[in-house]
Amino acid sequence: PVGGRYRLQTDFLGLECDAAGRLLSLVDKVADREMLDTRAPWGFGEVIRETITSPEDRAAVWERGYSFIPYAHRRSDANFAREGSLAHSRVVRVESGPVCDAVIVESELPYLRRIETELRLWRELPWIEFEVRLDKQAYENYEGLYVAFPFKLEGARAFIHSCDAVFEAEAQQLPGTCRDYYAVQDYAAL
């Protein structure tokens, strides 16, 4: 680390993160532009745990009886608590090899004893690869886990691999399907 910061560089991409693993910069060197939205409330690759603060649990979010699908109407007054993993994280190692360079970050959240995230820059490809490994404990109430990717890209198109198929988010979705979040099977491409 230089001044408490870690830097990875290839001919295509450059990234910088602090000692907690928060990404501070992600630069596309070919297009000469910053790709990270540093004003976003959550950091790049940050795991976010969301719980309902009401004792009503699921009923505080979803109302029954508005359609043939149980719990099909989402209440707009539901209160959630959200906590991000970067408040409890640290860089545990930086690896440099002939194929890629990587930063590995460990963190934790309630009911997640261990969160390990690995960010890789491939030397010969203009790719960034991100992997999250979780040790998730049982939690009986309603909760959600999300991973944030705050890119600053103009006119970006997102392709999601889910259920053994690839679709373009927003453009190739069935009417009425969820657009709040996506379940990704193997990858998402921008």
Side-chain angles (χ1 to χ4, degrees):
V2 177
R5 295 185 175 194
Y6 298 88
R7 292 183 180 92
L8 300 181
Q9 301 281 331
T10 69
D11 290 341
F12 307 102
L13 298 166
L15 71 81
E16 181 177 352
C17 68
D18 64 16
R22 178 177 294 277
L23 203 58
L24 304 172
S25 177
L26 178 61
V27 175
D28 178 340
K29 293 166 78 173
V30 175
D32 191 31
R33 67 178 174 166
E34 176 63 50
M35 296 191 311
L36 182 66
D37 182 357
T38 56
R39 297 173 300 147
W42 305 104
F44 185 91
E46 183 168 12
V47 175
I48 302 153
R49 180 174 181 263
E50 177 182 75
T51 56
I52 299 170
T53 58
S54 168
E56 297 175 86
D57 197 39
R58 183 180 290 268
V61 180
W62 301 103
E63 292 181 8
R64 294 176 72 77
Y66 284 90
S67 76
F68 63 91
I69 302 172
Y71 297 105
H73 180 68
R74 184 175 176 140
R75 291 175 53 176
S76 61
D77 61 343
N79 291 317
F80 294 96
R82 294 179 180 97
E83 184 177 3
S85 61
L86 287 175
H88 315 281
S89 66
R90 65 186 175 90
V91 172
V92 291
R93 68 184 182 277
V94 177
E95 298 176 350
S96 183
V99 177
C100 67
D101 294 335
V103 174
I104 296 92
V105 178
E106 282 187 356
S107 56
E108 61 183 43
L109 285 170
Y111 297 94
L112 289 152
R113 281 192 292 214
R114 186 165 172 261
I115 303 168
E116 184 177 274
T117 57
E118 185 170 348
L119 186 61
R120 294 180 205 99
L121 292 185
W122 295 89
R123 292 189 185 275
E124 301 297 325
L125 298 168
W127 291 355
I128 184 169
E129 186 175 72
F130 190 80
E131 185 174 341
V132 178
R133 294 178 285 277
L134 306 169
D135 181 3
K136 176 72 177 89
Q137 306 305 299
Y139 182 73
E140 293 182 14
N141 294 328
Y142 190 75
E143 75 174 336
L145 294 178
Y146 312 99
V147 179
F149 297 102
F151 285 107
K152 182 173 66 174
L153 303 173
E154 300 293 325
R157 296 169 59 196
F159 296 89
I160 310 294
H161 179 246
S162 183
C163 301
D164 289 328
V166 176
F167 68 93
E168 183 178 355
E170 297 291 331
Q172 295 178 320
Q173 286 185 247
L174 295 172
T177 58
C178 180
R179 286 169 163 75
D180 292 339
Y181 56 86
Y182 296 101
V184 177
Q185 183 175 345
D186 288 322
Y187 66 89
L190 298 175

